[in-house]
Amino acid sequence: MAMCIKVHFEMASRMGVGKMTYEDGRVCEGIWKNGKIEYEGELVDGKPHGRGKKIYPNGDVYEGDWKNGLSHGQGIIKWADGDVYKGEWKDGKKNGKGTYKWKGGSSYYGEWKDDKRHGKGITKRPDGSSYEGDYKDDLPDGNGTCNYKNGNVYTGEWSANKAHGKGVMTYANQDTYDGKWKAGWRDGKGTMKFHNGDVYTGEFSEDKMHGKGTYEYAAGDLFKSIGEWKEGKKCGAFDDIIRYNKRVYYENDEVKVDSNVKREAPWDEDTDTEEGPPSKRRNVSISPS
């Protein structure tokens, strides 16, 4: 290392403000402590102001804009543990737009307020999961889309990092739910479409069918079941509509009246009376296989 000459050095509260001029012409000006420079860059009244670089005692390093001794403007900080933030600062805190990269591989790009994710942003993780949308106080809050690592995708309203309000979940098996959410659970009125074609429309509570609803079956004798569910199961009286088939003859695109029309099911919604109610389909499951 080239020999150096101390041009100016002042002590204040165990801190030194000075300039070092090396034989090769290099000049190092900043704040020194124990013979090592902690801050190198522009100073005003002995404080970092303008462009500069500071090495903190714990190994963190910030390089960028300063104002009155605080990071302010554009800058990048590399923490000793491996995390990195690059973006806008205000009064020593992350404010504005910036990118944060965690040592584990996750990243966030978006808006910040007082060192917290706040506003629009996107978080990506190494496992393939991601969230893009509104943040408040460092948590998803507002409207956004989350891609979960298991393949589920939720788009809708959020509150404190949980689905809350109106939203749509598309599950990895192609089931879909469109309706109300509360604290991460299906809760309120909604429609659940199962991948086998079955559809439930009605009330939910704590992620289960609970309350009044209608379940439509894609196959089988039972076409529709209307009633009240309790914790995901039928409970009480239900109006069950049975599927039926009949042969109809047409002539010139019009139904031809024929006394030989054959009924292939024991009940017809249009002709049967209350004295002859339809029989319920046995062993009916409300959950798709």
Side-chain angles (χ1 to χ4, degrees), residues 154-219:
Y154 171 81
T155 299
E157 297 177 312
W158 294 78
S159 179
N161 201 33
K162 293 183 178 180
H164 191 92
K166 185 73 169 60
V168 178
M169 178 76 84
T170 301
Y171 297 88
N173 66 353
Q174 298 307 306
D175 290 352
T176 62
Y177 171 78
D178 185 348
K180 299 290 288 184
W181 294 77
K182 182 179 179 181
W185 283 338
R186 294 170 294 178
D187 200 294
K189 292 184 178 180
T191 297
M192 185 77 191
K193 295 181 179 180
F194 298 96
H195 64 276
N196 68 349
D198 291 357
V199 179
Y200 170 82
T201 301
E203 297 175 329
F204 288 78
S205 179
E206 296 184 356
D207 226 32
K208 295 180 181 179
M209 291 178 279
H210 190 91
K212 295 180 180 180
T214 299
Y215 197 106
E216 298 179 44
Y217 297 87

Side-chain angles (χ1 to χ4, degrees), residues 43-285:
L43 296 166
V44 173
D45 296 330
K47 296 180 180 179
H49 193 96
R51 295 290 297 180
K53 175 181 178 181
K54 182 173 182 178
I55 302 174
Y56 294 86
N58 63 355
D60 299 343
V61 180
Y62 171 83
E63 185 171 5
D65 297 327
W66 296 81
K67 183 179 179 181
N68 296 325
L70 298 173
S71 48
H72 190 98
Q74 291 287 334
I76 180 171
I77 185 168
K78 298 179 180 180
W79 282 275
D81 62 6
D83 291 356
V84 178
Y85 170 78
K86 182 180 182 181
E88 296 179 288
W89 298 77
K90 182 180 179 181
D91 298 329
K93 296 181 179 180
K94 297 183 287 292
N95 276 279
K97 290 185 177 180
T99 299
Y100 193 110
K101 295 183 178 180
W102 285 268
K103 63 178 180 180
S106 298
S107 66
Y108 169 81
Y109 170 75
E111 297 176 310
W112 296 79
K113 182 180 179 180
D114 295 336
D115 273 343
K116 295 181 180 180
R117 292 170 291 181
H118 194 97
K120 301 288 185 180
I122 178 170
T123 295
K124 296 181 180 180
R125 300 180 179 85
D127 60 13
S129 62
S130 65
Y131 171 81
E132 182 173 5
D134 297 326
Y135 280 83
K136 181 181 179 181
D137 293 330
D138 219 33
L139 297 174
D141 195 295
N143 286 280
T145 296
C146 183
N147 292 273
Y148 295 90
K149 65 180 180 180
N150 63 1
N152 295 346
V153 180
Y154 171 81
T155 299
E157 297 177 312
W158 294 78
S159 179
N161 201 33
K162 293 183 178 180
H164 191 92
K166 185 73 169 60
V168 178
M169 178 76 84
T170 301
Y171 297 88
N173 66 353
Q174 298 307 306
D175 290 352
T176 62
Y177 171 78
D178 185 348
K180 299 290 288 184
W181 294 77
K182 182 179 179 181
W185 283 338
R186 294 170 294 178
D187 200 294
K189 292 184 178 180
T191 297
M192 185 77 191
K193 295 181 179 180
F194 298 96
H195 64 276
N196 68 349
D198 291 357
V199 179
Y200 170 82
T201 301
E203 297 175 329
F204 288 78
S205 179
E206 296 184 356
D207 226 32
K208 295 180 181 179
M209 291 178 279
H210 190 91
K212 295 180 180 180
T214 299
Y215 197 106
E216 298 179 44
Y217 297 87
D221 295 335
L222 185 56
F223 168 62
K224 186 182 293 186
S225 194
I226 305 171
E228 191 163 346
W229 272 258
K230 184 176 181 180
E231 296 184 352
K233 298 180 180 180
K234 291 181 176 179
C235 184
F238 272 74
D239 293 325
D240 281 3
I241 300 174
I242 307 300
R243 210 181 300 271
Y244 68 91
N245 297 308
K246 62 182 179 182
R247 186 174 301 144
V248 179
Y249 291 89
Y250 287 82
E251 186 174 290
N252 295 325
D253 207 36
E254 293 184 0
V255 176
K256 180 180 178 182
V257 178
D258 191 314
S259 60
N260 292 322
V261 173
K262 181 180 179 181
R263 291 275 304 277
E264 294 185 353
W267 175 72
D268 189 313
E269 183 180 10
D270 297 327
T271 59
D272 278 296
T273 65
E274 293 182 359
E275 286 73 24
S279 60
K280 295 184 178 179
R281 186 173 84 172
R282 297 178 181 176
N283 299 325
V284 173
S285 172

